[in-house]
Amino acid sequence: MQKFTRVQSKALPLNRADIDTDQIIPAQYLKRIERTGFGQFAFESWRNDPDFVLNNPAYEGAQVLVTGPNFGCGSSREHAPWALEDLGLRAIIAPSFADIFRNNCAKIGLLTVELDQDACNYLVARAEENPAAEVVVDLEAQTVSTPDGSFVRTFEIDPFVKYMLLEGLDSIALTLLQDDEISAFENSRSSLYPKVTAS
Amino acid sequence: MGEGKTISEKIWDRHLVVQEEGKPDLLYIDLHLVHEVTSPQAFESLRLAGRKVRRPDLTLATVDHNVPTIDRDKPWTDPLSTQQVQTLRQNCEDFGVELFGVEDVRQGIVHIIGPEQGLTQPGMTIVCGDSHTSTHGAMGALAFGIGTSEVEHVLATQTLPQSRPKTMAVEVNGTLHEGVTAKDVILSIIHKIGVSGGVGHVIEYRGDVIRSLPMSGRMTICNMSIEAGARAGLVAPDETTFEYLEGRNFAPKGADWERALDEWRSLVTDDDATFDTTVTLEGGDIEPCVTWGTTPAQSVPVTGRVPDPSEAASPQAQELAERSLKYMDLQPGTAIEDIPLDRVFLGSCTNARIEDLRAAADIVRGHKVAGSVRAMVVPGSGLVKLQAEQEGLDTVFKDAGFEWRDAGCSMCLGMNPDTLAPGERCASTSNRNFEGRQGRGGRTHLVSPQMAAAAAVAGHFVDIRKWEKS
Ligand code: SF4
């Protein structure tokens, strides 16, 4: 997993509520068996609109997305965070996120930041007005700010998720360190639970 | 605050492998279901890291999202789908995982086959790389959807680090009117609490209406928990659950069955347990529902009209409603029953069990599908299909002009060739009416199987309560 410490970049404004994972990456593109290459299909149907923000070259290079509440609702497809990552995004700022989507982002080093609606509105308006305006997302300090310091907001994050992101740790490797505990649990587990194969 | 625990807390606590301050709990997973779309990258990473599947005996794979639902024995038209299905077969071989492949009569939508096989049992933890894993909660299991990195984590360790969820009680009291189904109950719940109302919570569905529902209806309700944003949804097991399970393939037998019953009967929420959130609905207030928008919360009774966005509760809801109506090409004030349809889809893990097909066939029997409508039935599993054919339901549907297909997700998400054309309007028994969900530019209205069947015949929505069976 990619480490996340601090990102300073333009912000991509996408001010809609309840953006679902079918919009982020439509089902017909889930057939690839690789993790990469999904960015070209992200928000595919909205990109038909020439005014859609991703079609605006002024936002090229943006690593931060600012969007509406309940972002990433719907399907559990990790292809959605993969697609956003493939677009070059490192952090997503929204008033709230869907649970599975947020988990999936954390696993690949894509930071999800919850800020209140007013702060998001401000960042969206600012980015719409001036696409070149940068924001700073600092995970260590848990802040989102403007480079001139005129806007600073702190955000909450699960301390363990923060630690994993800062260190870029592999969660499977960590769990495998607890192999003894897992085996102990398995030994005490009821024999009544079904087995799929008779092994 | 009471000392008691809710059922989801009991299941959680019984599956704790490690609990440490400042870290998510490490939960043991009793059953891991795998399908072709969200697993290839997980297996590939395992391979690269030289890891194996820790418990192949607790892992079951099937193919559902991608597979064609006709002409399966002929070469498939989509090389990418073929590759994905073959990749799963190879992965299952390499890692020793049991696969219900496309030629197997037990193949089907992953959330239909778990309960059907009796693999889904009360008190278990179940995960799958699919958000509708909550379906299995109907059996009194704690079941939730995960992403591909988590799929890999479970394959490698049979555990999952998870933060403890909040608890929500959704109580549906009283009784349902004739013609009102489990689908209408869950659409009404989502309408009430909103598409993010359940975020962070496990929902326990309670109350007389839930208790009186058969397992198929409970599965429909638990299935759509994710449509309210919830992490999972479940129903405490009772005699209905045990009756459903008894004799199924993987259900305990003989003395084990008795021991299991003893254990399952303890899976109730204690009287002195407290929920973080409680929501109550009156069963008698629920009417047959139709969604008009592009989120599952945007529904009205079939007797209602397309709402006026200017009457929405907030500016954001108004904006969303306006965009939804534009996408759906609907005018405010249009009577729902006046909306003409091009397609009808009877299928998906929400409503493609044998009970759903029986209910729909009952409506259709002796009628013809309207000339303007193309309608299809896609059974949830090979076994559902077989059962329906033994009961002659396929003949009822085919005589009426429905297409009768093989099991899979099909037009629920339009990953295989079964899709809506741009602009087509569909009455669907599935669970998502998102923009483009059933095909680019397609317009989806979510309804119960009975309502979908009647709409196929009439060519527009009709109030099922007034339907004359022939
Ligand atoms: S039927 Fe639809 S909702 Fe269910 S698993 Fe398949 S794609 Fe997902």
Side-chain angles (χ1 to χ4, degrees), chain A residues 16 18 20 22-23 27-35 44 46 70 74-79 99 104 160 170-172 175-176 178-179 182-183 185-186 189 194-197, chain B residues 14 20 22 24 28 30 37 41 45 51 54-55 57 66 78 81 84 98 119 129-131 146-149 152-153 159 195-196 200 231 250 323 413 415 432 434-435 437 440:
Chain A
R16 297 189 186 189
D18 302 324
D20 59 77
D22 278 82
Q23 308 315 318
Q28 58 265 35
Y29 301 114
L30 306 185
K31 294 174 187 170
R32 301 168 62 86
I33 57 172
E34 301 85 22
R35 269 178 205 260
E44 198 240 13
W46 294 350
N70 198 30
S75 145
S76 66
R77 59 189 71 160
E78 198 165 303
H79 312 67
D99 286 321
N104 287 344
F160 190 69
D170 168 7
S171 121
I172 296 179
T175 302
L176 286 173
Q178 302 187 299
D179 190 59
I182 300 173
S183 296
F185 185 92
E186 281 174 331
R189 204 171 151 258
K195 288 201 166 109
V196 177
T197 45
Chain B
R14 287 177 197 178
E20 280 175 78
Y28 198 79
D30 292 320
V37 176
Q41 295 86 353
S45 300
R51 290 170 179 151
R54 183 182 179 97
R55 296 296 301 264
D57 57 334
N66 227 328
D78 184 340
S81 297
Q84 212 169 43
E98 175 87 4
L119 275 169
D130 189 281
S131 60
I146 57 178
T148 297
S149 294
E152 183 189 343
H153 195 286
T159 64
V195 289
S196 57
R231 286 173 66 178
F250 289 94
R323 227 188 27 247
L413 90 164
M415 234 185 127
R432 286 191 176 139
F434 298 157
E435 288 181 26
R437 169 80 177 180
R440 195 174 302 141

XYZ file of all heavy atoms in Angstrom, chain A residues 16 18 20 22-23 27-35 44 46 70 74-79 99 104 160 170-172 175-176 178-179 182-183 185-186 189 194-197, chain B residues 14 20 22 24 28 30 37 41 45 51 54-55 57 66 78 81 84 98 119 129-131 146-149 152-153 159 195-196 200 231 250 323 413 415 432 434-435 437 440:
709
model
N -21.977 16.755 -5.795
C -23.222 15.992 -5.850
C -23.308 15.109 -4.622
O -22.286 14.638 -4.131
C -23.273 15.080 -7.074
C -23.263 15.826 -8.380
C -23.545 14.867 -9.523
N -23.382 15.563 -10.779
C -23.708 15.068 -11.967
N -24.199 13.856 -12.043
N -23.542 15.764 -13.066
N -24.607 11.546 -2.703
C -24.917 10.131 -2.977
C -24.315 9.626 -4.280
O -24.954 8.890 -5.024
C -26.449 9.912 -3.022
C -27.131 10.313 -1.736
O -26.531 10.096 -0.670
O -28.255 10.839 -1.788
N -22.744 7.142 -6.380
C -22.612 5.710 -6.133
C -21.465 5.116 -6.948
O -20.984 5.728 -7.901
C -23.937 4.999 -6.428
C -24.379 5.209 -7.860
O -23.811 4.544 -8.748
O -25.282 6.037 -8.107
N -21.493 2.784 -9.010
C -21.820 2.526 -10.418
C -21.470 3.737 -11.289
O -21.192 3.589 -12.477
C -23.307 2.193 -10.589
C -23.616 0.731 -10.281
O -23.759 0.423 -9.083
O -23.687 -0.087 -11.209
N -21.523 4.937 -10.712
C -21.107 6.130 -11.465
C -19.583 6.201 -11.519
O -19.002 6.540 -12.531
C -21.651 7.425 -10.840
C -23.151 7.441 -10.596
C -23.947 6.913 -11.763
O -23.669 7.198 -12.930
N -24.939 6.086 -11.462
N -20.399 -1.084 -14.246
C -20.189 -2.530 -14.158
C -19.519 -3.122 -15.393
O -18.733 -4.062 -15.283
C -21.529 -3.229 -13.908
N -19.810 -2.551 -16.558
C -19.247 -3.191 -17.758
C -17.728 -3.130 -17.795
O -17.100 -3.850 -18.560
C -19.869 -2.634 -19.049
C -19.734 -1.160 -19.267
C -20.967 -0.399 -18.771
O -21.576 -0.781 -17.768
N -21.329 0.672 -19.449
N -17.134 -2.296 -16.936
C -15.659 -2.208 -16.919
C -15.029 -3.013 -15.788
O -13.853 -2.858 -15.489
C -15.219 -0.744 -16.856
C -15.746 0.031 -18.024
C -16.679 1.041 -17.855
C -15.352 -0.304 -19.322
C -17.196 1.707 -18.950
C -15.874 0.361 -20.419
C -16.793 1.361 -20.229
O -17.315 2.009 -21.304
N -15.830 -3.842 -15.143
C -15.276 -4.611 -14.015
C -14.724 -5.953 -14.462
O -14.445 -6.813 -13.644
C -16.366 -4.858 -12.955
C -17.099 -3.639 -12.418
C -18.038 -4.056 -11.295
C -16.142 -2.574 -11.937
N -14.594 -6.129 -15.758
C -14.203 -7.453 -16.240
C -12.696 -7.652 -16.282
O -12.224 -8.757 -16.510
C -14.786 -7.690 -17.629
C -16.302 -7.762 -17.601
C -16.888 -7.853 -18.974
C -18.404 -7.742 -18.895
N -18.998 -7.594 -20.210
N -11.961 -6.559 -16.114
C -10.513 -6.701 -16.121
C -10.082 -7.521 -14.907
O -10.689 -7.430 -13.852
C -9.834 -5.331 -16.036
C -10.178 -4.405 -17.150
C -9.699 -3.005 -16.803
N -8.252 -2.988 -16.651
C -7.401 -2.836 -17.657
N -7.858 -2.687 -18.876
N -6.109 -2.836 -17.443
N -9.027 -8.280 -15.063
C -8.552 -9.062 -13.922
C -7.317 -8.413 -13.301
O -6.690 -8.973 -12.413
C -8.277 -10.531 -14.327
C -7.274 -10.598 -15.467
C -9.553 -11.241 -14.698
C -6.813 -12.018 -15.777
N -6.998 -7.193 -13.749
C -5.884 -6.439 -13.156
C -6.434 -5.375 -12.202
O -7.623 -5.097 -12.196
C -5.069 -5.735 -14.253
C -4.459 -6.649 -15.297
C -5.424 -6.987 -16.434
O -6.379 -6.228 -16.638
O -5.228 -8.038 -17.082
N -5.525 -4.780 -11.440
C -5.927 -3.713 -10.539
C -5.829 -2.338 -11.185
O -6.280 -1.341 -10.628
C -4.992 -3.665 -9.323
C -5.441 -4.491 -8.153
C -4.410 -4.393 -7.038
N -4.493 -5.574 -6.210
C -5.126 -5.602 -5.034
N -5.677 -4.531 -4.560
N -5.181 -6.719 -4.343
N -17.734 7.451 -16.428
C -17.818 7.346 -17.877
C -19.019 8.076 -18.460
O -18.877 8.847 -19.406
C -17.845 5.864 -18.239
C -17.516 5.593 -19.667
C -18.651 4.892 -20.367
O -19.747 4.845 -19.796
O -18.405 4.404 -21.473
N -20.938 10.429 -17.212
C -20.942 11.881 -16.978
C -19.914 12.584 -17.872
O -20.034 13.758 -18.170
C -20.663 12.198 -15.512
C -21.765 11.721 -14.608
C -22.996 11.243 -14.991
C -21.754 11.667 -13.186
N -23.739 10.897 -13.890
C -22.999 11.146 -12.765
C -20.811 12.015 -12.213
C -23.324 10.970 -11.424
C -21.140 11.837 -10.867
C -22.384 11.315 -10.474
N -22.234 11.059 1.507
C -22.515 9.654 1.195
C -21.791 9.221 -0.077
O -22.305 8.434 -0.870
C -24.032 9.441 1.071
C -24.428 7.986 1.192
O -23.765 7.201 1.879
N -25.494 7.604 0.523
N -23.399 2.217 -2.480
C -23.715 1.164 -3.445
C -22.777 -0.012 -3.321
O -22.488 -0.492 -2.232
N -22.294 -0.441 -4.456
C -21.547 -1.694 -4.567
C -20.235 -1.672 -3.783
O -19.653 -0.625 -3.536
C -21.302 -1.949 -6.059
O -20.064 -2.551 -6.289
N -19.756 -2.890 -3.458
C -18.510 -3.010 -2.686
C -17.282 -2.982 -3.586
O -16.166 -3.113 -3.117
C -18.521 -4.340 -1.916
O -18.486 -5.421 -2.834
N -17.469 -2.803 -4.877
C -16.358 -2.918 -5.834
C -15.168 -2.027 -5.483
O -15.267 -0.809 -5.420
C -16.861 -2.611 -7.251
C -17.459 -1.238 -7.418
C -18.132 -1.047 -8.768
N -19.372 -1.820 -8.872
C -20.347 -1.562 -9.738
N -20.237 -0.575 -10.602
N -21.441 -2.299 -9.757
N -14.033 -2.646 -5.244
C -12.811 -1.883 -4.961
C -12.305 -1.214 -6.234
O -11.432 -0.352 -6.204
C -11.751 -2.817 -4.363
C -10.636 -2.101 -3.635
C -9.831 -3.061 -2.758
O -10.438 -3.720 -1.893
O -8.612 -3.149 -2.954
N -12.877 -1.643 -7.353
C -12.545 -1.010 -8.626
C -12.813 0.489 -8.565
O -12.192 1.253 -9.314
C -13.357 -1.642 -9.757
C -13.335 -3.151 -9.760
N -13.928 -3.904 -8.769
C -12.789 -4.031 -10.636
C -13.755 -5.196 -9.032
N -13.063 -5.302 -10.151
N -19.669 3.147 4.052
C -18.743 2.346 4.880
C -17.751 1.505 4.077
O -16.551 1.535 4.333
C -19.529 1.397 5.783
C -20.198 2.116 6.936
O -19.577 3.042 7.484
O -21.334 1.753 7.280
N -12.387 0.318 1.711
C -11.621 -0.035 0.521
C -10.537 1.000 0.235
O -9.423 0.653 -0.153
C -12.542 -0.162 -0.693
C -13.388 -1.424 -0.654
O -13.093 -2.347 0.100
N -14.437 -1.461 -1.452
N -5.925 3.963 14.127
C -5.257 2.815 13.525
C -5.152 2.970 12.002
O -4.117 2.670 11.404
C -6.003 1.521 13.882
C -5.246 0.289 13.489
C -4.065 -0.058 14.147
C -5.693 -0.517 12.455
C -3.352 -1.189 13.785
C -4.984 -1.650 12.083
C -3.811 -1.984 12.742
N 0.984 -3.275 5.282
C 0.187 -4.324 4.679
C -0.601 -5.015 5.787
O -0.033 -5.639 6.681
C 1.142 -5.308 3.976
C 0.464 -6.598 3.547
O -0.771 -6.705 3.665
O 1.197 -7.497 3.086
N -1.916 -4.887 5.714
C -2.727 -5.371 6.827
C -2.702 -6.901 6.928
O -2.840 -7.456 8.028
C -4.131 -4.782 6.697
O -5.113 -5.719 6.603
N -2.499 -7.589 5.815
C -2.426 -9.059 5.889
C -1.166 -9.485 6.656
O -1.214 -10.360 7.523
C -2.429 -9.676 4.482
C -3.754 -9.362 3.794
C -2.188 -11.186 4.549
C -3.872 -9.890 2.385
N -1.790 -9.142 10.298
C -2.660 -10.185 10.857
C -1.928 -11.516 10.948
O -2.118 -12.271 11.904
C -3.941 -10.327 10.005
O -4.609 -9.071 9.978
C -4.879 -11.377 10.582
N -1.098 -11.797 9.969
C -0.378 -13.081 9.988
C 0.549 -13.193 11.199
O 0.894 -14.296 11.619
C 0.384 -13.288 8.677
C -0.514 -13.638 7.466
C 0.293 -13.670 6.177
C -1.230 -14.972 7.677
N -0.416 -12.735 13.977
C -1.280 -13.256 15.046
C -1.760 -14.668 14.741
O -2.827 -15.089 15.200
C -2.446 -12.292 15.249
C -1.899 -10.920 15.595
C -2.956 -9.920 15.986
O -3.832 -9.620 15.199
N -2.853 -9.406 17.195
N -0.962 -15.372 14.008
C -1.311 -16.730 13.603
C -1.651 -17.629 14.793
O -2.581 -18.435 14.728
C -0.137 -17.322 12.807
C -0.515 -18.635 12.156
O -1.473 -18.627 11.362
O 0.121 -19.661 12.466
N -5.130 -16.966 15.935
C -6.115 -17.477 14.969
C -6.247 -18.996 15.132
O -7.350 -19.539 15.193
C -5.725 -17.125 13.518
C -5.640 -15.604 13.342
C -6.747 -17.698 12.533
C -5.112 -15.163 11.994
N -5.099 -19.672 15.239
C -5.146 -21.133 15.413
C -5.856 -21.508 16.703
O -6.651 -22.457 16.734
C -3.732 -21.710 15.422
O -3.130 -21.493 14.175
N -8.151 -19.845 18.216
C -9.584 -19.644 18.017
C -10.175 -20.816 17.240
O -11.237 -21.341 17.585
C -9.845 -18.331 17.268
C -11.309 -18.008 17.130
C -11.952 -17.230 18.084
C -12.058 -18.517 16.072
C -13.312 -16.950 17.977
C -13.418 -18.249 15.964
C -14.041 -17.467 16.917
N -9.481 -21.217 16.198
C -9.984 -22.315 15.366
C -10.126 -23.601 16.175
O -11.072 -24.366 15.972
C -9.048 -22.550 14.169
C -9.277 -21.527 13.075
C -8.296 -21.618 11.921
O -7.153 -22.049 12.146
O -8.672 -21.239 10.807
N -13.312 -23.537 18.170
C -14.514 -23.225 17.414
C -15.434 -24.446 17.363
O -14.978 -25.582 17.270
C -14.063 -22.855 15.999
C -14.980 -21.994 15.228
C -14.271 -21.551 13.954
N -15.258 -21.322 12.924
C -15.512 -22.153 11.943
N -14.824 -23.260 11.806
N -16.451 -21.862 11.070
N -20.732 -25.333 9.276
C -20.601 -26.121 8.044
C -19.236 -25.974 7.391
O -18.585 -24.939 7.514
C -21.685 -25.523 7.141
C -21.863 -24.129 7.638
C -21.616 -24.175 9.118
N -18.843 -27.021 6.710
C -17.652 -26.970 5.863
C -18.094 -27.143 4.424
O -18.949 -27.981 4.136
C -16.685 -28.092 6.230
C -16.008 -27.854 7.541
C -14.730 -28.671 7.624
C -13.879 -28.205 8.768
N -13.796 -29.095 9.883
N -17.493 -26.365 3.538
C -17.887 -26.420 2.131
C -17.349 -27.684 1.480
O -18.008 -28.324 0.674
C -17.369 -25.178 1.385
C -17.716 -25.252 -0.086
C -17.934 -23.918 2.015
N -16.124 -28.008 1.847
C -15.537 -29.238 1.328
C -15.286 -30.167 2.504
O -15.015 -29.717 3.606
C -14.191 -28.962 0.632
O -13.433 -28.082 1.464
C -14.395 -28.317 -0.704
N -18.690 -13.486 19.883
C -18.334 -14.904 19.765
C -17.295 -15.153 18.663
O -16.825 -16.274 18.527
C -19.588 -15.736 19.455
C -20.504 -15.867 20.674
C -21.765 -16.632 20.300
N -22.791 -16.409 21.322
C -24.017 -16.898 21.273
N -24.377 -17.654 20.244
N -24.895 -16.656 22.228
N -7.810 -5.549 20.852
C -6.773 -4.722 21.470
C -7.180 -3.264 21.433
O -7.759 -2.811 20.444
C -5.449 -4.867 20.704
C -4.659 -6.108 21.015
C -3.436 -6.210 20.103
O -2.454 -5.505 20.365
O -3.503 -6.965 19.125
N -7.264 0.479 20.751
C -6.705 1.298 19.678
C -6.593 0.618 18.335
O -6.026 1.173 17.396
N -8.733 -2.066 15.387
C -10.015 -2.724 15.085
C -10.001 -4.149 15.631
O -8.940 -4.752 15.789
C -10.070 -2.717 13.557
C -8.672 -2.477 13.094
C -7.953 -1.761 14.186
N -13.206 -13.622 13.391
C -13.101 -14.851 12.617
C -14.266 -14.938 11.634
O -15.393 -14.563 11.962
C -13.108 -16.090 13.523
C -12.556 -17.295 12.790
C -11.185 -17.450 12.649
C -13.397 -18.226 12.197
C -10.657 -18.525 11.937
C -12.875 -19.306 11.495
C -11.508 -19.439 11.364
O -10.991 -20.494 10.657
N -16.672 -17.312 9.335
C -17.107 -18.704 9.221
C -17.323 -19.155 7.785
O -17.213 -20.344 7.484
C -18.427 -18.906 9.983
C -18.237 -18.764 11.477
O -17.216 -19.256 11.984
O -19.102 -18.154 12.136
N -16.011 -11.540 -10.151
C -15.677 -10.146 -10.457
C -14.742 -9.502 -9.421
O -13.847 -8.751 -9.783
C -16.969 -9.301 -10.607
C -16.627 -7.832 -10.816
C -17.776 -9.815 -11.788
N -8.095 -10.145 -8.585
C -6.944 -9.389 -8.085
C -6.519 -9.881 -6.704
O -5.341 -9.800 -6.342
C -7.292 -7.889 -8.025
C -7.553 -7.258 -9.393
C -9.001 -7.408 -9.877
O -9.810 -8.097 -9.251
N -9.331 -6.781 -10.998
N -2.769 -11.354 -5.938
C -1.882 -10.839 -4.886
C -1.401 -11.945 -3.960
O -0.263 -11.929 -3.503
C -2.596 -9.765 -4.053
O -2.977 -8.706 -4.879
N 1.331 -16.642 -0.726
C 0.444 -17.055 0.361
C -0.581 -18.046 -0.164
O -0.870 -18.095 -1.345
C -0.275 -15.827 0.935
C 0.669 -14.918 1.688
C 0.028 -13.599 2.059
N 0.982 -12.777 2.809
C 0.983 -11.458 2.814
N 0.086 -10.779 2.119
N 1.883 -10.797 3.517
N -6.110 -19.951 3.603
C -5.997 -20.611 4.897
C -7.051 -21.694 5.076
O -6.751 -22.781 5.547
C -6.127 -19.575 6.019
C -5.955 -20.186 7.401
C -6.132 -19.163 8.508
N -5.977 -19.813 9.805
C -4.849 -19.819 10.506
N -3.777 -19.207 10.044
N -4.797 -20.440 11.664
N -8.293 -21.406 4.730
C -9.370 -22.376 4.951
C -10.218 -22.566 3.692
O -11.348 -22.067 3.626
C -10.257 -21.904 6.123
C -9.575 -21.840 7.473
C -9.113 -23.194 7.993
N -10.194 -24.155 8.142
C -10.850 -24.387 9.292
N -10.507 -23.750 10.381
N -11.818 -25.274 9.344
N -11.818 -24.953 3.032
C -13.046 -25.656 3.428
C -14.143 -24.704 3.933
O -15.266 -25.128 4.156
C -12.737 -26.733 4.488
C -12.053 -26.154 5.723
O -11.388 -25.097 5.600
O -12.199 -26.739 6.803
N -21.318 -12.142 -14.310
C -20.826 -11.988 -15.653
C -21.427 -12.933 -16.668
O -21.365 -12.713 -17.874
C -19.333 -12.357 -15.559
C -18.490 -11.375 -16.256
O -18.930 -10.811 -17.224
N -17.299 -11.179 -15.778
N -18.558 -12.537 -25.175
C -17.685 -11.533 -24.572
C -16.379 -12.174 -24.087
O -16.366 -12.908 -23.110
C -18.428 -10.875 -23.408
C -17.622 -9.754 -22.782
O -16.395 -9.721 -22.962
O -18.224 -8.909 -22.098
N -15.509 -11.516 -20.307
C -16.292 -12.311 -19.350
C -15.759 -13.732 -19.298
O -15.607 -14.321 -18.222
C -17.764 -12.356 -19.756
O -18.316 -11.082 -19.732
N -12.651 -13.830 -17.316
C -12.838 -13.679 -15.882
C -13.356 -14.977 -15.254
O -12.930 -15.365 -14.167
C -13.819 -12.534 -15.615
C -13.513 -11.807 -14.335
C -14.286 -10.527 -14.181
O -15.476 -10.471 -14.467
N -13.620 -9.497 -13.713
N -13.677 -24.852 -3.559
C -14.836 -25.459 -4.216
C -15.547 -24.425 -5.094
O -15.784 -23.302 -4.674
C -15.792 -25.990 -3.127
C -17.102 -26.543 -3.625
C -17.003 -28.031 -4.008
O -15.929 -28.626 -3.805
O -18.009 -28.564 -4.495
N -25.821 -23.482 3.789
C -24.496 -23.060 4.266
C -24.603 -21.845 5.179
O -23.763 -21.620 6.045
C -23.602 -22.711 3.070
C -22.861 -23.866 2.421
C -22.249 -23.419 1.100
C -21.780 -24.412 3.352
N -17.203 -10.551 -1.397
C -16.847 -9.313 -2.090
C -18.031 -8.781 -2.857
O -17.997 -8.684 -4.087
N -19.079 -8.468 -2.126
C -20.314 -8.012 -2.745
C -21.180 -7.358 -1.682
O -21.376 -7.923 -0.612
C -21.062 -9.198 -3.369
C -22.220 -8.719 -4.207
O -23.270 -8.374 -3.628
O -22.066 -8.661 -5.430
N -21.706 -6.186 -1.999
C -22.400 -5.419 -0.962
C -23.709 -6.054 -0.501
O -24.188 -5.726 0.576
C -22.654 -4.003 -1.457
O -23.451 -4.030 -2.611
N -17.536 -6.860 1.425
C -16.172 -6.376 1.578
C -15.565 -6.099 0.198
O -16.088 -6.553 -0.818
C -15.293 -7.397 2.346
C -15.294 -8.759 1.634
C -15.766 -7.542 3.775
C -14.407 -9.809 2.299
N -14.471 -5.364 0.186
C -13.775 -5.082 -1.066
C -12.705 -6.128 -1.349
O -12.479 -7.045 -0.551
N -12.053 -5.972 -2.488
C -11.118 -6.999 -2.931
C -9.908 -7.164 -2.011
O -9.441 -8.282 -1.785
C -10.670 -6.696 -4.370
O -11.827 -6.758 -5.209
C -9.641 -7.688 -4.868
N -9.402 -6.059 -1.450
C -8.273 -6.196 -0.509
C -8.690 -7.008 0.705
O -7.910 -7.789 1.252
C -7.778 -4.817 -0.055
O -7.212 -4.120 -1.137
N -8.904 -10.658 -0.144
C -7.559 -11.239 -0.051
C -7.192 -11.506 1.412
O -6.631 -12.559 1.741
C -6.558 -10.249 -0.678
C -5.139 -10.756 -0.718
C -4.159 -9.654 -1.143
O -4.612 -8.628 -1.692
O -2.962 -9.824 -0.900
N -7.557 -10.569 2.273
C -7.254 -10.714 3.695
C -7.933 -11.956 4.274
O -7.321 -12.720 5.035
C -7.688 -9.454 4.441
C -7.121 -9.344 5.818
N -7.579 -10.108 6.866
C -6.130 -8.582 6.305
C -6.888 -9.796 7.947
N -5.998 -8.885 7.641
N -9.727 -14.257 8.699
C -10.166 -13.244 9.667
C -10.254 -11.903 8.959
O -9.773 -11.749 7.832
C -9.150 -13.080 10.815
O -7.924 -12.576 10.252
C -8.893 -14.372 11.539
N -30.871 6.923 2.075
C -29.842 6.009 1.572
C -28.578 6.001 2.427
O -27.722 5.142 2.256
C -29.452 6.298 0.099
C -30.580 5.906 -0.834
C -29.063 7.753 -0.094
N -28.449 6.971 3.337
C -27.299 6.903 4.239
C -27.749 6.773 5.693
O -26.941 6.883 6.611
C -26.386 8.120 4.052
O -27.117 9.300 4.247
N -22.760 2.928 9.136
C -22.068 2.615 10.386
C -22.822 1.638 11.284
O -22.309 1.229 12.310
N -24.184 -1.481 7.347
C -23.099 -2.445 7.142
C -23.652 -3.857 7.022
O -23.079 -4.701 6.354
C -22.103 -2.359 8.295
C -21.241 -1.103 8.179
C -20.356 -0.895 9.381
N -19.336 -1.922 9.516
C -18.417 -1.922 10.477
N -18.400 -0.931 11.358
N -17.533 -2.878 10.556
N -26.207 -28.596 3.677
C -25.135 -28.373 4.649
C -25.645 -28.128 6.059
O -24.866 -27.815 6.955
C -24.251 -27.197 4.206
C -23.396 -27.520 3.004
C -23.827 -27.219 1.716
C -22.160 -28.125 3.158
C -23.048 -27.510 0.610
C -21.365 -28.419 2.050
C -21.814 -28.113 0.771
N -32.322 16.278 -10.752
C -31.428 15.515 -11.618
C -31.994 14.123 -11.900
O -31.921 13.618 -13.010
C -30.045 15.418 -10.983
C -28.955 15.745 -11.965
C -27.543 15.493 -11.503
N -27.395 14.474 -10.523
C -27.013 14.710 -9.279
N -26.741 15.934 -8.900
N -26.885 13.725 -8.430
N -27.356 -5.772 -12.955
C -26.263 -4.814 -13.129
C -25.759 -4.729 -14.563
O -24.863 -3.952 -14.845
C -25.097 -5.086 -12.146
C -23.961 -6.025 -12.548
C -22.782 -5.837 -11.632
C -24.388 -7.437 -12.601
N -23.901 -6.507 -16.568
C -22.506 -6.773 -16.898
C -22.393 -7.764 -18.039
O -21.387 -7.848 -18.713
C -21.830 -7.385 -15.676
C -20.605 -6.635 -15.270
S -19.768 -7.456 -13.941
C -18.148 -7.558 -14.660
N -31.228 -1.801 -7.218
C -30.597 -0.501 -7.468
C -31.155 0.144 -8.726
O -31.174 -0.480 -9.782
C -29.080 -0.642 -7.597
C -28.464 -0.885 -6.258
C -26.953 -0.789 -6.234
N -26.548 -0.961 -4.854
C -25.502 -1.671 -4.449
N -24.726 -2.256 -5.343
N -25.232 -1.781 -3.173
N -29.800 3.102 -9.724
C -28.787 4.113 -10.031
C -28.758 4.402 -11.531
O -29.082 3.544 -12.347
C -27.391 3.610 -9.638
C -27.209 3.334 -8.181
C -26.216 2.446 -7.771
C -27.993 3.942 -7.214
C -26.012 2.177 -6.423
C -27.794 3.678 -5.864
C -26.803 2.791 -5.471
N -28.294 5.590 -11.884
C -28.108 5.936 -13.293
C -27.275 4.859 -13.975
O -26.194 4.508 -13.503
C -27.351 7.267 -13.423
C -28.165 8.480 -13.052
C -27.362 9.779 -13.226
O -26.419 9.815 -14.040
O -27.709 10.750 -12.539
N -27.390 1.751 -14.162
C -27.154 0.473 -13.498
C -27.496 -0.721 -14.398
O -26.779 -1.709 -14.438
C -27.982 0.422 -12.205
C -28.051 -0.944 -11.531
C -26.818 -1.240 -10.738
N -26.935 -2.514 -10.043
C -26.000 -3.029 -9.258
N -24.865 -2.376 -9.078
N -26.158 -4.172 -8.646
N -26.350 1.562 -19.945
C -26.127 3.002 -20.092
C -27.398 3.702 -20.568
O -27.986 3.308 -21.573
C -24.999 3.243 -21.089
C -24.451 4.628 -21.059
C -23.243 4.727 -21.969
N -22.199 3.760 -21.588
C -21.455 3.083 -22.470
N -21.642 3.240 -23.767
N -20.521 2.253 -22.053
